[in-house]
């Protein structure tokens, strides 16, 4: 939407393309673009997400968030601050993933970035579609997100380690993070809750440090950013996510945000203030006697003798 009679809060020019209700700014095309890129780069600097010489692997789905992320991180690559590669995972979702893979491939070719593509079919000999077909026949079927999240994490970590990446960057935005905070709080999942943050790292060196440079950018603004810059992106959402708990929480937050435009930022900032206390009270005591283990099957780090991915694989292959 273009607000023709309104002047930009920064340069005092027209037309204005966005009215940011959470801070009162009205921005033109140029100032909006600059604000997004500046905010992401400031987040990287303030939170110390990237240091000079890092090799960053971007989780590139071809959607708006990951395309925006790799375009902005490419600024650092062009300044010779970082090395940059991308990884796209094809889960095998009919009518959905193929277009995202194509866009991811074309995006990396234009930027001159090395691109890795890993499919569930090639790596595990099944697709999410085939798994869901089997699950649909069970009395208590698992949701697609349960499988997808576990196997995607395994692939991301393995590829990051294989290419000697020092950081793994994902396109999680402000909406995603607010949803995660609310979901884990409502489910009482404290262990997952304290892992939510700008940077996730483990004392186990087999885990690559994960970073979220877009964490302070609303989803709506990332959509406008890619449209204003004519970036080709895959806007379709995963068909399996439509009935997920995350989607329900997302709908709730979007509805509240209409009347309270600052609610997502206040949720995020409030959580950051209490997270150290939560971590100290619940996690440190709980894990005091735990030691790192290695999965006896795949050799990946695990909290048990067999990791979650391998447990799932045993079930899948047995059936």
């Amino acid at each position: 939407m273009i607000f023709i009679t309104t002047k930009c809060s920064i340069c005092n020019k027209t037309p204005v393309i966005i009215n940011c209700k959470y801070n009162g700014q009205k921005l033109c095309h140029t100032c909006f673009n600059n604000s997004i890129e500046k905010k992401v780069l400031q987040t990287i600097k303030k939170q110390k997400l990237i240091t000079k010489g890092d090799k960053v692997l971007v989780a590139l789905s071809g959607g708006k968030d990951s395309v925006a992320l790799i375009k902005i991180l490419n600024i650092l690559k062009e300044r010779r601050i970082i090395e940059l590669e991308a990884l796209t995972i094809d889960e095998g979702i009919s009518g959905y993933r193929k277009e995202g893979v194509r866009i991811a491939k074309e995006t990396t070719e234009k930027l001159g970035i090395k691109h890795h593509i890993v499919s569930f079919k090639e790596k595990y000999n099944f697709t999410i579609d085939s798994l869901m077909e089997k699950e649909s026949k069970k009395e208590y079927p698992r949701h697609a997100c349960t499988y997808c999240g576990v196997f995607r994490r395994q692939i991301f970590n393995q590829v990051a380690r294989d290419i000697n990446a020092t950081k793994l960057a994902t396109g999680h935005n402000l909406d995603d993070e607010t949803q995660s905070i609310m979901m884990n709080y409502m489910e009482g999942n404290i262990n997952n809750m304290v892992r939510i943050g700008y940077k996730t790292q483990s004392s186990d060196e087999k885990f690559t440090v994960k970073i979220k440079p877009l964490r302070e950018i609303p989803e709506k603004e990332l959509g406008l950013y890619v449209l204003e810059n004519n970036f080709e992106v895959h806007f379709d959402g995963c068909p399996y996510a439509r009935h997920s708990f995350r989607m329900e929480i997302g709908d709730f937050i979007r509805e509240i945000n209409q009347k309270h435009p600052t609610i997502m930022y206040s949720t995020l900032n409030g959580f950051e203030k209490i997270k150290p206390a939560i971590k100290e009270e619940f996690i440190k005591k709980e894990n005091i006697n735990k030691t790192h283990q290695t999965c006896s099957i795949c050799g990946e780090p695990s909290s048990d003798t067999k990791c979650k991915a391998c447990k799932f694989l045993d079930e899948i292959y047995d059936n």
Side-chain angles (χ1 to χ4, degrees), residues 71-84:
K71 292 280 188 177
I72 296 173
L73 289 181
N74 193 56
I75 296 172
L76 300 180
K77 172 179 169 284
E78 290 181 338
R79 293 176 184 172
R80 298 186 178 180
I81 295 173
I82 62 171
E83 293 180 60
L84 198 57

Side-chain angles (χ1 to χ4, degrees), residues 1-20 25-32 224 228:
M1 182 181 292
I2 295 178
F3 306 86
I4 296 178
T5 59
T6 306
K7 292 185 178 181
C8 176
S9 302
I10 296 177
C11 70
N12 208 33
K13 294 180 181 179
T14 57
V16 164
I17 63 167
I18 187 171
N19 178 8
C20 303
Q25 283 194 330
K26 300 173 179 64
L27 303 174
C28 67
H29 167 83
T30 301
C31 291
F32 170 69
L224 183 59
E228 284 293 309

Side-chain angles (χ1 to χ4, degrees), residues 74-208:
N74 193 56
I75 296 172
L76 300 180
K77 172 179 169 284
E78 290 181 338
R79 293 176 184 172
R80 298 186 178 180
I81 295 173
I82 62 171
E83 293 180 60
L84 198 57
E85 295 190 17
L87 168 61
T88 302
I89 297 176
D90 182 357
E91 306 91 346
I93 303 173
S94 179
Y96 168 68
R97 180 49 72 198
K98 186 177 180 180
E99 183 68 1
V101 172
R102 178 190 67 80
I103 291 170
K105 187 176 181 180
E106 291 180 4
T107 298
T108 52
E109 286 176 352
K110 289 176 183 177
L111 296 175
I113 294 171
K114 188 173 182 179
H115 187 209
H116 309 267
I117 302 174
V118 178
S119 74
F120 278 18
K121 183 64 178 176
E122 291 176 357
K123 184 171 179 61
Y124 301 119
N125 199 32
F126 58 74
T127 65
I128 283 294
D129 282 347
S130 66
L131 282 186
M132 289 304 97
E133 186 176 351
K134 289 182 179 180
E135 286 293 317
S136 66
K137 299 173 183 177
K138 297 180 180 179
E139 185 177 1
Y140 301 106
R142 286 196 182 103
H143 196 279
C145 297
T146 302
Y147 286 117
C148 204
V150 169
F151 294 129
R152 281 170 60 86
R153 281 192 293 274
Q154 184 183 66
I155 293 170
F156 279 132
N157 201 56
Q158 287 175 345
V159 173
R161 195 168 60 247
D162 289 345
I163 68 167
N164 296 315
T166 52
K167 302 287 170 60
L168 171 59
T170 63
H172 290 83
N173 57 48
L174 177 63
D175 298 56
D176 295 327
E177 291 296 274
T178 308
Q179 290 163 19
S180 293
I181 292 167
M182 292 296 295
M183 284 170 60
N184 285 294
Y185 175 76
M186 294 178 76
E187 292 178 323
N189 196 332
I190 306 301
N191 275 293
N192 280 354
M193 199 171 181
V194 296
R195 292 192 185 102
I196 301 169
Y198 293 95
K199 183 191 297 185
T200 305
Q201 58 189 106
S202 170
S203 56
D204 192 320
E205 60 184 21
K206 286 188 177 181
F207 280 119
T208 303

Side-chain angles (χ1 to χ4, degrees), residues 39-50 76:
K39 194 170 185 178
V40 175
L41 295 176
Q42 283 180 336
T43 295
I44 290 172
K45 184 177 181 180
K46 182 180 178 181
Q47 301 298 332
K48 299 178 181 178
L49 303 185
I50 288 173
L76 300 180

Side-chain angles (χ1 to χ4, degrees), residues 288-299:
I288 194 167
N289 295 318
K290 287 189 177 181
T291 57
H292 292 295
Q293 298 190 59
T294 299
C295 176
S296 59
I297 306 298
C298 68

